Each structure stands twice: as structure tokens, then as C-alpha cells.
Amino acid sequence: MLAALLVMAQVCFIPLAWGGETEPSSTLDWFSPQNAQATRQWSELLRDLGLSPENAAQVSREARSEALTQATLVLMHYQAQLQGKPLSNPGKRLASAVEQGALAAFLALITPQYQGFKRLRTVLAQELARTQLPVPELTPMEGLGLGQSHPELSALRQVLAQRLGQTLPAVLVDRDVWDPPFIHLLRDYQRQSGLTVTGTLTPETQRHLRVDPKRRIDTIRFSLLQWFQLPPAMDGLAILVNIPHYQLVALDQERVALVTSVVVGAPGSPTPRMNSRFSSITFNPDWTPPQSILRDELLPQWRADQGSLAAQGFVWETAQGSQLSWDGVTEHNIGDYLRQYRLKQVAGRGNPLGRMRLNLKNSQAIYLHDTNRPDLFGRTKRDLSHGCVRINNIDALFAVLKEQESSRDAQRLLRALNATQTQTQRLNADVDVFLVYMPAWVGADNTLQLRPDIYGLVQPELAAITKTLL
């Protein structure tokens, strides 16, 4: 059964059951007096994650214990895949914790301790307890303007307020007029849902409103699972990129030092979920395009206009670092050039990496970098890159990084930024980077923000988890 789950998209992680060498040799007693409290709390968390053994109608103590063991090991495997780490003897480690009455300490090591995780669990409970209001037929209202009315407008007003967690004043509850408070409510909904903010019933807004309430719950549960990609707590400065929110957050411990927008990979070239780190910055970087961009974009440009790449700053470079002229390059020998030399774009205004590149370790050729297209940050939908993360206002992030350095080293980094030549400078400490995929997010204001599942990961992964638990 599990073998069939291995064939999935590159960015999709599948929780695998344990192999025979890690399966506990006998049923673990989760309900012993030493473990009872930890088991109760863990069962509640598994329920929130959609992994609750109660979903399988387990009734006996032994059956419930076996289901808890299976769900926990599946979660541990999923967490290891998200973190990109090998998982050693999970069954034996779990069995030891249960048998020694050390379950609480063991589970604390794998459970996220972040306020954002706790807030999302709270919102999930509220969503589950709430009777979802039906969405009225939207098409007849899409052309309404200020002062116009429709009998279903009051129902739509109530749906928007419920989705936003707002309480309508009594005078507005049954009001069926397209008025300024309604427009404000609609704009709030669009803003918090990552939609283009127009204050009108755009097709995009209508599609979002029609999403099945179960899918909202699924999105929240999937996002809760994604918190397991992070370590239980962060130490020092870290960067978190939430891919479907197109957002970068710089965290010092759990203190937010910076929030800025980003461009992420398009669905055809997605930004992968990944834990990495960097300890150096390349200033004024040149760019060596990958084979896919060479094949699909640059060579067709060159064939249409053989002066186009030279005009954009692309040069041929030998292994010794000397540059060759484009004059001898023809349709007949360009393949030889590509095999023998490096095609690179020199640093400068036209370079897509901009003025800085953060050199992620073991990054699958994925980088965080500046951009020469700041206009893209004005768009609502920003899944536009070939996989790398382009950072808006990278100078603000550089300022945060510089604060971690000594005065002398901060000046060294600043000189490198202001120079014109390409150079790489080391930082005094590694900075952790987490590329995560959390379409549901609850900030410090306790407002649920749901973003579109741009890579289509939510339903396949939840289905895989369900199938694994059967």
C-alpha cells in the first residue's frame, strides 16, 4: 500500500509508515498512569492535525494505543521529510519513551512551540465549532454599485463578517444595500485572503468565497502540519519564507525583526520546502543561468537576435577566467561553446540577481536574492520565478543582518555592498533559513489569513496521510 504513495510531485512530501526494523515489537501502553496526561494532550494535537485515532473508531485500549503509535510514527516520518533529515529508529525511541514514562519529554522534542502554531490551533477550534453560513448566489450581485440593493446582499455581508471573525453592528446585520461599510468589509476579506483588493465581486473573489468549508479546515490542518518542518524553537537570527503568502519574515528568537514581500517559483518551477542556512553574501553577483533557462529562454532569444545576449551583459568565460568574444559564435558551434565555456551574465543593472545573493548551503540551486524587477512586488500573485526567492527591499534585510555583526565587520560588509566588483563576504555566524508552505496563517492580531494553494499540495498530501493511516 505504501509503495504506491512514493510516486508524487517533486515538491510533495509523503508520510511513510515505519519499516520492520523500527516497528515496536509489542503494543505500547499509552494509557499508563505515567503517560496519561501526555497521551491526552497528544491525542488532542493529533485530532487537530487530522491524525486522531478516534477517526478510525478505535474503541479498545489496545487498539487505541496501536493507532496512537501508528499516527505518531507517520507524523515523525513526515516531519523528517519536511526537515530533510534521516530518521533513526523512531519506533524504538518512541517505545522507550512510553515504557519509561518519559512520553511528555519525548513529544516536546518534536512538537512546535511557536505562538503562531498555537494561534492556528485556536482558530481551527473556532472554525470547527462555527456553523458555516451558506454562501448566496453571487453572480446576480457582481455588477452592483454604491447605493444599489439585492435581497441576498445581507446574507453575503454576514458570510464576509464570519470569515473575517468580525461581529456586525445590529443595524447592518440585515442591511441589503451596497454601502461603504459593505465595501470596506469586502476589501478586508480580499486583503486577508491575498486577493486583488478592488471592493468588487471579481471572479477571483467569487471563486474564493465558494470554497467548500471542509477545504478551509483542510488548509488549516495542512498548515499546522507544516510547522513540524521547523525546529521546536529557534536560536538566534532566522529567516522564514512562507511561499503561498509571498512573504519573508526575519526572526530574532521569536521577535519579528522584518517583514517583506517576495517573489517565489511559478507552479512549473516551484520553490521547494527546505531548511537551509547561509554564512556568506555575494555582492554584485554575476549569474550563470541553469540549463533549463538556457534551453527554453536564452537560446531562442539568441537565435531570434544574435546580438541580444551580448546586449544584456552575457559573456563567455574560460576555465581560467578569461572572456571570449561573441564574434565567433554561430548556430553551428554554439553547442561546442556551451560544452567548453561558461555563459554568464555580468553584474549590473540588468542582472536578475540584483546587488546581493544569500548563498544557501545544500540549496538545490535555490537562492534568496535581490532583483532587477522591483515592479513585480506590486502584483498580488507573485509565483513568477524559476524557483529562487526574490526579496523586496533587500536593503532592509541587509540592515538586520548587519546588526548581528561587530562594528568592524559591519563596515566590511557595507564596503562590499558599495563596491562595483563581484565579491563574497562571510558572516560571523550562520543564519538559518526555512522555506515553508503554510497557506493558513494567524498573526499576532489572531486573524486567520488563507491563501490559495498555488502548488496544489494540500489535498494530495492530506490524502496520502489518510491512506497511510488506513
Side-chain angles (χ1 to χ4, degrees), residues 314-424:
F314 283 95
V315 299
W316 297 99
E317 187 175 79
T318 68
Q320 293 73 36
S322 58
Q323 294 185 5
L324 303 177
S325 169
W326 279 90
D327 292 344
V329 182
T330 68
E331 180 66 43
H332 300 292
N333 66 12
I334 191 168
D336 295 331
Y337 268 76
L338 289 170
R339 283 187 290 271
Q340 297 177 41
Y341 310 118
R342 173 192 176 201
L343 180 64
K344 74 172 187 180
Q345 187 177 27
V346 298
R349 183 172 296 180
N351 190 299
L353 303 186
R355 296 184 301 150
M356 275 180 265
R357 182 187 68 211
L358 312 183
N359 298 314
L360 302 187
K361 300 178 181 180
N362 304 317
S363 67
Q364 308 170 44
I366 298 298
Y367 298 99
L368 276 63
H369 61 80
D370 189 18
T371 180
N372 64 338
R373 291 288 310 278
D375 57 297
L376 297 180
F377 297 111
R379 300 188 186 183
T380 301
K381 188 173 170 60
R382 296 192 295 277
D383 48 339
L384 305 166
S385 80
H386 292 90
C388 288
V389 177
R390 308 176 192 175
I391 303 171
N392 187 26
N393 192 16
I394 200 169
D395 287 339
L397 179 59
F398 177 66
V400 172
L401 297 171
K402 194 158 55 73
E403 287 176 0
Q404 309 297 312
E405 304 290 313
S406 67
S407 176
R408 179 178 178 179
D409 287 324
Q411 289 301 313
R412 169 176 56 84
L413 296 174
L414 194 57
R415 286 194 298 272
L417 175 64
N418 292 329
T420 56
Q421 70 271 28
T422 299
Q423 54 181 300
T424 298

Side-chain angles (χ1 to χ4, degrees), residues 123-136 153-169 172-173 182 185-186 188-189 192-193 208-209 211-214 216-217 220 446-450:
V123 166
L124 173 64
Q126 294 169 351
E127 289 278 325
L128 289 169
R130 180 182 296 138
T131 300
Q132 296 292 333
L133 296 172
V135 177
L153 196 58
S154 60
L156 177 56
R157 191 191 299 267
Q158 293 170 34
V159 168
L160 292 171
Q162 184 186 69
R163 298 272 181 96
L164 291 167
Q166 297 181 13
T167 301
L168 289 172
L172 294 179
V173 170
F182 177 83
L185 197 66
L186 182 56
D188 278 352
Y189 179 81
Q192 292 185 17
S193 302
H208 198 276
L209 281 164
V211 170
D212 184 344
K214 180 184 178 300
R216 287 171 60 88
I217 300 299
I220 296 171
N446 295 312
T447 298
L448 173 64
Q449 299 182 41
L450 287 176

